[in-house]
Amino acid sequence: MKTNLLDFNLDQLTQHFAAMGEKPFRAKQVMRWMHQMAQSDFDAMTDIAKSLRAKLHETAEVRVPALMMGQESGDGTRKWLLDVGTGNGVETVFIPENERGTLCVSSQVGCALECTFCSTGRQGFNRNLSTAEIIGQLWWANKALGVTPKEERVVSNVVMMGMGEPLANYDNVVSALNIMLDDHAYGLSRRRVTVSTSGLVPQMDRLREDCPVALAVSLHAPNDALRDVIVPINKKYPLKELMAACQRYLERAPRDFVTFEYVMLDGINDRPEHARQLIELVRDVPCKFNLIPFNPFPNSGYGRSSNNAIHIFRELLQEAGLVVTVRKTRGDDIDAACGQLAGQVQDKTRRQAKWTQIIEEGKQ
Ligand code: SAH
Ligand code: SF4
């Protein structure tokens, strides 16, 4: 099989070219063609010597995942479904705002972590995305949005908040992050690239050393008893360890705070006593809160907190001096809102069948 050059960050491509007897600047040129000009055809790379183009044709390719579907929401949000083989598809969402355009990128086909309120988690896990499949999402977005030169780029921010747990696919995600940050590729600053994790503590420590981008942590509960249920990875890395890992991360982070995401689930984690516990929990961690109104999906078993409950919760946190935003729901008419990304996942763990059975039994 031909080598997919989209799998390489600049260091890896330079090494690959060195093995072919090519100079390092060739790697930079090809990086720019692939990523800044969204070019996949070697023949269009006009400043590359013909002899090298011929060699590349024989041994390599720029293979982006095929586009299965594109949709646009009434509010300008766009969603693309990319074919990642054997009947699987992953979703990427572009959210335009006044000053910026944010791309929400997927890292896995499905997710193994079983958070109970998450549609991706409900589907089970199929496999990790390759570096090419992760960076291919940014490639497609730039291509589809009709931008190539750096100055005009519409995607100004990337959040790893699509399908999957990015830190469970560590190597490929870090390689893709490197490409996002590289001046010869997308040239995004570390502050504008965010990894969102449900709290894989050892990998948070590795990321701090390898590629410290902005960090978001999916907290969702203020105590271990509740978090054990709704974010089960908490049983492995409980809150005390998670808070300590956040503090360590901040020593290297490009921003001086961690963003805590908190999905507002009606009657589950949205009461004033939960807010009070949260204030205690994060006392020593410089942070901002992002409250996410729960986005329903079929048979979720959860409801969205009322606007009033969200308002009271927010006020309590703010009175304690915390900075809080409430995430606007965007793109829900095309199922592109947080936690609604389902893609097409052939579940290797057959988890969906298990859930369907549990839900059916509950109805009897
Ligand atoms: N696995 C990573 C990143 C993907 S999920 C993580 O868990 O952080 C991105 C965000 O969407 C997380 O904060 C997640 O908890 C949240 N989310 C998942 N399902 C949701 C839903 N149904 N409604 C609102 N937010 C949801
Ligand atoms: Fe996985 Fe994140 Fe969904 Fe949890 S919330 S199941 S970690 S994608």
Side-chain angles (χ1 to χ4, degrees):
M1 212 209 237
K2 289 184 174 177
T3 307
N4 188 1
L5 300 189
L6 270 193
D7 270 321
F8 294 144
N9 61 30
L10 184 58
D11 280 350
Q12 293 161 334
L13 191 64
T14 307
Q15 279 170 25
H16 183 78
F17 274 29
M20 291 167 66
E22 295 292 337
K23 298 240 160 56
F25 80 95
R26 291 291 179 203
K28 290 181 181 154
Q29 281 179 313
V30 171
M31 272 318 251
R32 286 200 289 268
W33 278 111
M34 289 194 295
H35 297 292
Q36 298 188 350
M37 311 304 280
Q39 189 51 259
S40 54
D41 177 2
F42 295 127
D43 282 335
M45 302 183 181
T46 44
D47 55 1
I48 310 278
K50 266 207 173 131
S51 55
L52 174 55
R53 276 190 260 158
K55 253 198 276 181
L56 288 174
H57 265 301
E58 261 171 50
T59 59
E61 61 187 339
V62 181
R63 191 170 65 248
V64 281
L67 194 58
M68 292 164 93
M69 193 175 62
Q71 276 179 293
E72 183 158 1
S73 152
D75 65 15
T77 301
R78 295 181 62 168
K79 180 169 94 168
W80 298 281
L81 181 67
L82 300 181
D83 186 353
V84 289
T86 55
N88 290 306
V90 293
E91 290 174 335
T92 304
V93 176
F94 176 69
I95 307 148
E97 286 167 303
N98 292 342
E99 302 284 304
R100 60 183 176 195
T102 303
L103 192 71
C104 181
V105 168
S106 295
S107 56
Q108 298 182 309
V109 185
C111 182
L113 294 187
E114 303 202 296
C115 302
T116 52
F117 54 87
C118 171
S119 157
T120 308
R122 284 284 177 92
Q123 297 178 81
F125 176 69
N126 188 280
R127 69 168 172 85
N128 284 329
L129 293 182
S130 66
T131 301
E133 289 165 336
I134 298 169
I135 208 67
Q137 299 171 54
L138 185 49
W139 191 97
W140 262 118
N142 278 338
K143 181 105 169 164
L145 295 166
V147 251
T148 40
K150 193 174 168 189
E151 312 74 55
E152 295 167 31
R153 197 156 299 132
V154 177
V155 177
S156 62
N157 294 57
V158 171
V159 292
M160 298 296 306
M161 293 187 188
M163 300 167 66
E165 165 55 50
L167 296 186
N169 180 13
Y170 188 85
D171 291 343
N172 295 346
V173 165
V174 167
S175 205
L177 293 175
N178 277 322
I179 300 172
M180 292 175 199
L181 303 182
D182 200 307
D183 280 339
H184 298 287
Y186 299 94
L188 298 173
S189 83
R190 290 194 291 134
R191 303 165 61 85
R192 288 174 174 270
V193 175
T194 301
V195 164
S196 173
T197 179
S198 53
L200 301 188
V201 165
Q203 288 92 330
M204 287 166 67
D205 285 328
R206 284 179 70 193
L207 190 69
R208 181 194 64 203
E209 299 304 320
D210 294 343
C211 191
V213 292
L215 184 70
V217 172
S218 293
L219 202 51
H220 306 319
N223 60 61
D224 283 320
L226 182 56
R227 197 162 189 270
D228 280 352
V229 176
I230 61 181
V231 185
I233 193 68
N234 192 69
K235 289 185 226 152
K236 199 159 178 194
Y237 306 113
L239 285 169
K240 194 160 177 264
E241 283 181 35
L242 181 58
M243 292 302 117
C246 290
Q247 279 174 321
R248 290 194 295 276
Y249 196 87
L250 284 171
E251 291 162 17
R252 296 283 305 276
R255 294 176 182 267
D256 52 9
F257 60 89
V258 170
T259 303
F260 286 126
E261 294 161 277
Y262 196 95
V263 63
M264 299 296 291
L265 301 166
D266 185 29
I268 305 280
N269 64 356
D270 64 348
R271 303 288 112 185
E273 74 253 30
H274 297 125
R276 289 187 202 105
Q277 289 171 17
L278 265 187
I279 294 163
E280 276 309 306
L281 178 72
V282 305
R283 190 164 288 279
D284 299 324
V285 186
C287 63
K288 288 188 181 173
F289 268 85
N290 197 347
L291 304 181
I292 316 173
F294 171 66
N295 290 308
F297 54 90
N299 291 326
S300 76
Y302 289 111
R304 179 183 291 185
S305 303
S306 68
N307 288 344
N308 193 38
I310 297 176
H311 179 75
I312 293 170
F313 202 89
R314 176 186 197 158
E315 298 249 291
L316 284 169
L317 296 184
Q318 281 175 336
E319 277 164 22
L322 292 164
V323 176
V324 188
T325 51
V326 178
R327 189 174 293 171
K328 273 191 261 134
T329 290
R330 299 281 304 266
D332 51 353
D333 54 337
I334 55 168
D335 286 342
C338 299
Q340 287 183 327
L341 300 188
Q344 290 189 358
V345 179
Q346 312 284 321
D347 178 11
K348 280 192 179 154
T349 61
R350 301 266 168 248
R351 189 175 313 145
Q352 189 59 40
K354 188 178 93 189
W355 272 100
T356 309
Q357 195 188 350
I358 292 168
I359 289 161
E360 284 308 312
E361 281 167 5
K363 282 184 190 158
Q364 283 160 15

